């Protein structure tokens, strides 16, 4: 699926994994790569462009290293999507060491408008990677759908 | 898969000899054609599993094996706690106790075809399916814990089903030693509105016709004959299981070095069975098994209500309910004795052979029913456990077709409407809230389930009994 530009420097993409979907975010900073990967997570379910960023949900999490923190960030989003029955299309991430403070903006799922394809069960550690690449950052993992 | 690194033991058995950090060999059961198509990642993952502490005999992969998370999907591995054996959240999977339930209906094809569209509409209307759908049952804290401890038995006690259903469900409908207290508040919250929902992705509910019988005697014992109509339900422990999988994957990954476990890959996260994390996970995982059993029981109740309205002459009796994402304590013969092992089946079905005491009495002489879900266009299979599979794979067989194509690629190849129209022209009515979901699940995106089932049969993992083909498919 073509990756739309949602931020000046950032972009996201999907990559194939047997039965599931890889989500990958690129950014000028690590935080931006996390934000872009979150868009790829939404895009595994529905078109992010169709999701209005009307309501904000605060997300805080912690993990011992960048990679586990990235998986935790996606998993918190999966949790909020599932329990609030929402989709998110705008993300803000602030990283301080092993802690993440973020915000996800979106709206309740509207099946007629969003045509959601799959539920995401969780972010796995398969191909999990957070690293510097080409002067920027990449954050990726496979999500189980 | 590059076959040059494997030793061919027989036409359907391939060994990856023990080397390096492997504690046991790895064994893949498949035909040469399936082996050649199989992802190289299955090789790597089967080898990685073979390095884990306390693994017994071999790391196994079933004919439908494909790239999973840590463990291959279609992976089977047994661990001995007395030898430092481990339990792995990735070895069970996120959708804990995902499984298949098959119901007789007592109907014939003509009965269903006379009301096919109406039946499909009613099932679609009354069975919550797809992203964001909620069930009519909302559990408070006390009832949530009762459900997590009681499983399908809890559901039947609340009026969602019949006592006879429990006899035909693995663990007689209630997984023992579940610890609802080990399930986080987040996991419980995620489940609060999801009881009696089908989910999405590859989960489905189908009305099917028995189109082929391969073993008359076993089919008779299972109550199946050519032309019979059955209902198959494929789903799991919903949000609760997903959340438990997520949380324990992280806990196990962080705790592994403290237990002296060196993981070749983080996704293999595991903990010694005899550790706090290991025991906490087992208690939570068993509660999730009960959640899946209760969920399929409630769905059964909803299906019965629909049939009572649309085809009141139907009598929906349970053939069997079997899970394919679990870790269970079982006694197996190994190294000349009987050992109590923790058997992980990730995308693999338990397949006890004839005479096993855990098989319902009425089916015991025939072997345990093994229910294999295919794609929505190709059909599914009923198999029976064999005596030989005890020695071959700790009594385990395949679980489905396995994907041949990524979701991404399927989406580029087909449109949902096109898939639905093509199946309609073959007499199959598909209802789904998501056209994109249907495109991602297009029958051609899956491997040939017949080839997988044939390999399982010829490898002696389970015996082919009957083939069923869908007439109505509700896709989540």
């Amino acid at each position: 699926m073509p990756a739309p530009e949602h931020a000046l420097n950032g972009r996201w993409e999907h990559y194939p994994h047997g039965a599931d979907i890889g989500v990958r975010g690129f950014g000028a900073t690590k935080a931006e790569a996390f934000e872009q990967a979150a868009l790829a997570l939404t895009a595994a379910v529905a078109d992010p462009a169709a999701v209005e960023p009307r309501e904000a949900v605060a997300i805080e999490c912690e993990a011992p290293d960048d990679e586990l923190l990235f998986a935790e960030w996606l998993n918190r989003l999966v949790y909020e999507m599932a329990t609030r029955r929402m989709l998110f299309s705008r993300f803000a991430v602030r990283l301080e060491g092993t802690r993440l403070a973020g915000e996800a903006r979106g709206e309740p799922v509207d099946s007629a408008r969003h045509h959601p394809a799959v539920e995401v069960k969780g972010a796995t550690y398969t191909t999990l990677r957070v690293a510097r690449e080409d002067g920027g950052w990449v954050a990726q993992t496979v999500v189980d759908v | 898969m590059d076959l040059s690194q494997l030793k061919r033991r027989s036409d359907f058995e391939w060994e990856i000899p023990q080397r390096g950090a492997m504690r046991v060999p790895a064994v893949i059961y498949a035909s040469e054609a399936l082996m050649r198509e199989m992802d190289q990642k299955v090789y790597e993952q089967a080898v990685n599993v073979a390095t884990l502490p306390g693994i017994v005999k071999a790391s196994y992969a079933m004919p439908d094996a494909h790239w999973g998370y840590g463990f291959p999907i279609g992976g089977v591995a047994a661990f001995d706690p007395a030898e430092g054996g481990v339990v792995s959240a990735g070895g069970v999977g996120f959708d804990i106790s995902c499984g298949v339930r098959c119901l007789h209906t007592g109907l014939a094809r003509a009965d269903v075809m006379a009301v096919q569209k109406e039946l499909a509409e009613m099932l679609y209307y009354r069975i919550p399916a797809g992203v964001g759908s909620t069930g009519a049952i909302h559990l408070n804290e006390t009832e949530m814990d009762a459900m997590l401890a009681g499983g399908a038995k809890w559901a039947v006690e609340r009026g969602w089903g019949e006592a006879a259903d429990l006899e035909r469900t693995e663990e007689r409908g209630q997984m023992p030693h579940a610890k609802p207290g080990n399930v986080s508040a987040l996991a419980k919250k995620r489940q609060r509105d999801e009881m009696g929902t089908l989910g999405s992705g590859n989960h489905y509910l189908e009305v099917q016709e028995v189109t082929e019988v391969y073993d008359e005697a076993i089919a008779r014992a299972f109550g199946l004959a050519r032309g019979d109509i059955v209902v198959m339900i494929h789903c799991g422990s919903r949000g609760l299981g997903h959340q438990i999988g997520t949380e324990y994957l992280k806990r196990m990954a962080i705790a592994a070095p403290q237990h002296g476990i060196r993981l070749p890959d983080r996704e293999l996260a595991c903990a010694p069975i005899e550790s706090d994390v290991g025991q906490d996970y087992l208690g939570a995982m068993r509660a999730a098994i009960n959640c899946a059993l209760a969920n399929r029981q409630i769905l059964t109740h909803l299906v019965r209500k629909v049939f009572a309205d649309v085809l009141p002459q139907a009598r929906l009796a349970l053939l069997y309910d079997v899970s394919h994402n679990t870790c269970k304590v079982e006694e197996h013969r190994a190294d000349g004795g009987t050992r109590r092992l923790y058997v992980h089946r990730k995308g693999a079905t338990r397949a006890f052979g004839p005479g096993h005491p855990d098989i319902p009495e009425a089916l015991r002489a025939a072997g345990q029913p093994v229910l294999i879900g295919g794609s929505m266009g190709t059909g599914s299979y009923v198999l029976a456990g064999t005596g030989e599979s005890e020695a071959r794979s700790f009594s385990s067989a395949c679980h489905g077709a396995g994907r041949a194509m990524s979701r991404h690629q399927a989406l580029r190849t087909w449109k949902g409407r096109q898939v639905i129209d093509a199946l309609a022209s073959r007499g199959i009515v598909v209802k789904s809230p998501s056209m994109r979901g249907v495109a991602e699940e297009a029958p051609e995106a899956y491997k040939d389930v017949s080839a997988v089932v044939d390999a399982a049969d010829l490898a002696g993992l389970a015996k082919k009994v009957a083939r069923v083909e869908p007439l109505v498919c509700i896709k989540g």
Side-chain angles (χ1 to χ4, degrees):
Chain A
M1 171 175 322
E5 293 281 332
H6 282 271
L8 203 58
N9 299 310
R11 64 186 177 87
W12 61 265
E13 65 186 16
H14 288 155
Y15 59 96
H17 168 275
D20 296 300
I21 301 173
V23 297
R24 183 181 285 143
F26 298 95
T29 62
K30 202 190 317 174
E32 192 184 18
F34 278 34
E35 292 164 1
Q36 289 294 321
L39 271 170
L41 176 71
T42 296
V45 184
D47 179 4
V51 179
E52 296 286 336
R54 289 197 311 234
E55 293 173 38
V57 175
I59 290 171
E60 288 184 6
C61 52
E62 196 171 1
D65 59 58
D66 282 351
E67 289 182 344
L68 291 183
L69 186 61
F70 172 63
E72 188 66 10
W73 156 243
L74 295 182
N75 277 323
R76 290 306 301 264
L77 290 170
V78 167
Y79 176 78
E80 298 297 342
M81 285 160 75
T83 52
R84 294 173 190 269
R85 298 191 151 68
M86 284 179 74
L87 289 166
F88 301 109
S89 58
R90 194 168 296 168
F91 304 91
V93 166
R94 208 175 62 244
L95 295 170
E96 281 172 23
T98 57
R99 297 174 68 91
L100 179 154
E103 185 185 82
R105 287 182 167 271
E107 62 172 331
V109 176
D110 177 345
S111 293
R113 198 153 44 83
H114 298 133
H115 310 292
V118 288
E119 288 170 316
V120 178
K121 294 171 188 166
T124 74
Y125 297 166
T126 299
T127 68
L128 175 60
R129 186 165 164 257
V130 175
R132 282 186 173 279
E133 203 176 273
D134 301 332
W137 284 85
V138 61
Q140 67 169 46
T141 200
V142 167
V143 295
D144 188 353
V145 297
Chain B
M1 185 179 289
D2 172 12
L3 302 186
S4 65
Q5 290 168 289
L6 289 100
K7 201 165 94 188
R8 189 173 193 157
R9 284 184 179 173
S10 75
D11 283 354
F12 295 91
E13 189 174 347
W14 306 75
E15 180 188 329
I16 305 171
Q18 187 181 341
R19 58 169 168 75
M22 290 169 79
R23 296 166 195 259
V24 290
V27 175
I28 306 174
Y29 292 103
S31 63
E32 185 169 341
L34 285 170
M35 288 298 291
R36 291 198 182 282
E37 283 170 21
M38 205 175 275
D39 199 320
Q40 189 64 29
K41 291 280 181 188
V42 173
Y43 180 98
E44 289 168 28
Q45 293 190 321
V47 165
N48 283 345
V49 171
T51 68
L52 296 177
I55 187 165
V56 176
K57 270 175 88 175
S59 151
Y60 296 102
M62 302 293 107
D64 53 338
H66 51 282
W67 184 18
Y69 326 107
F71 282 53
I73 296 167
V76 176
F79 297 86
D80 188 340
E83 293 182 2
V86 294
V87 59
S88 166
V92 172
F94 281 107
D95 199 0
I96 298 167
S97 200
C98 183
V100 183
R101 168 175 280 228
C102 182
L103 297 146
H104 300 289
T105 65
L107 300 171
R109 180 188 171 92
D111 302 323
V112 169
M113 295 314 275
V115 292
Q116 189 189 20
K117 288 222 166 79
E118 188 192 348
L119 180 63
E121 290 293 341
M122 286 294 276
L123 286 168
Y124 181 58
Y125 182 67
R126 305 252 285 262
I127 309 285
V131 181
S133 60
T134 55
I137 299 160
H138 307 281
L139 302 181
N140 64 25
E141 219 170 295
T142 314
E143 274 300 281
M144 177 67 73
D145 283 357
M147 181 274 288
L148 294 174
K153 186 162 176 277
W154 166 87
V156 168
E157 283 165 3
R158 297 296 181 276
W160 299 304
E162 303 161 4
D165 296 340
L166 302 178
E167 177 63 22
R168 295 297 186 105
T169 306
E170 257 189 311
E171 315 300 339
R172 290 181 168 71
Q174 183 183 30
M175 184 70 199
H177 311 299
K179 300 263 169 51
N182 294 3
V183 178
S184 72
L186 295 185
K188 289 176 183 174
K189 189 176 170 197
R190 206 165 153 183
Q191 189 60 23
R192 212 167 47 188
D193 303 321
E194 292 197 354
M195 289 313 292
T197 62
L198 193 59
S200 66
N202 63 356
H203 294 157
Y204 61 78
L205 185 154
E206 285 185 349
V207 180
Q208 305 162 331
E209 180 186 4
V210 178
T211 54
E212 210 69 68
V213 167
Y214 306 100
D215 188 306
E216 290 288 349
I218 299 179
R220 207 173 309 118
F222 286 180
L224 295 172
R226 209 182 146 111
D228 282 358
I229 298 297
V230 298
V231 173
M232 243 187 225
I233 302 169
H234 175 219
C235 74
S237 51
R238 312 292 301 111
L240 182 125
H242 309 166
Q243 190 66 27
I244 291 172
T246 299
E247 291 171 5
Y248 280 94
L249 184 66
K250 184 182 175 196
R251 250 184 96 180
M252 287 178 176
I254 294 171
Q258 294 156 25
H259 294 122
I261 298 173
R262 288 179 54 183
L263 299 172
D265 199 320
R266 244 176 179 176
E267 59 182 358
L268 277 160
C270 58
I273 292 160
E274 305 290 0
S275 68
D276 289 346
V277 188
Q279 287 298 312
D280 285 355
Y281 174 71
L282 285 165
M285 188 264 307
R286 288 165 181 154
I289 291 179
N290 280 330
C291 179
L293 297 179
N295 196 47
R296 289 198 287 273
Q297 186 61 48
I298 293 168
L299 288 169
T300 300
H301 176 72
L302 299 177
V303 172
R304 282 180 174 143
K305 278 174 67 177
V306 170
F307 273 79
D309 290 345
V310 182
L311 286 160
Q313 70 272 39
R315 168 78 186 91
L316 275 69
L318 186 55
L319 166 57
Y320 202 60
D321 179 309
V322 64
S323 301
H324 46 234
N325 285 354
T326 58
C327 173
K328 291 192 172 174
V329 183
E330 295 168 8
E331 288 196 341
H332 288 284
R333 289 190 295 277
D335 307 325
T338 300
R339 291 165 76 176
R340 209 164 147 268
L341 304 175
Y342 286 66
V343 184
H344 292 65
R345 296 187 182 90
K346 167 77 191 91
T349 311
R350 185 156 85 175
F352 284 145
H356 195 286
D358 286 355
I359 303 174
E361 207 178 329
L363 309 175
R364 200 168 293 159
Q368 180 214 300
V370 176
L371 308 171
I372 307 299
S375 69
M376 57 186 151
T378 52
S380 300
Y381 286 85
V382 178
L383 286 75
T386 63
E388 306 120 88
S389 73
E390 162 64 27
R392 298 230 157 96
S393 56
F394 296 114
S395 296
S396 311
C398 53
H399 86 307
R403 288 191 78 90
M405 191 186 278
S406 71
R407 292 180 177 277
H408 190 90
Q409 201 182 343
L411 216 48
R412 280 186 309 187
T413 314
W414 298 288
K415 292 260 175 281
R417 175 47 58 191
Q418 178 193 354
V419 174
I420 286 179
D421 290 347
L423 291 170
S425 72
R426 291 170 44 203
I428 304 166
V429 176
V430 178
K431 300 287 294 177
S432 174
S434 169
M435 284 301 120
R436 182 178 146 188
V438 169
E440 290 184 4
E441 292 291 322
E444 294 82 358
Y446 279 85
K447 284 185 212 154
D448 179 8
V449 67
S450 309
V452 167
V453 163
D454 284 344
D457 181 294
L458 292 164
L461 305 179
K463 196 165 179 12
K464 247 166 69 168
V465 177
R467 174 184 167 88
V468 293
E469 292 180 26
L471 298 174
V472 171
C473 174
I474 311 299
K475 261 298 193 200

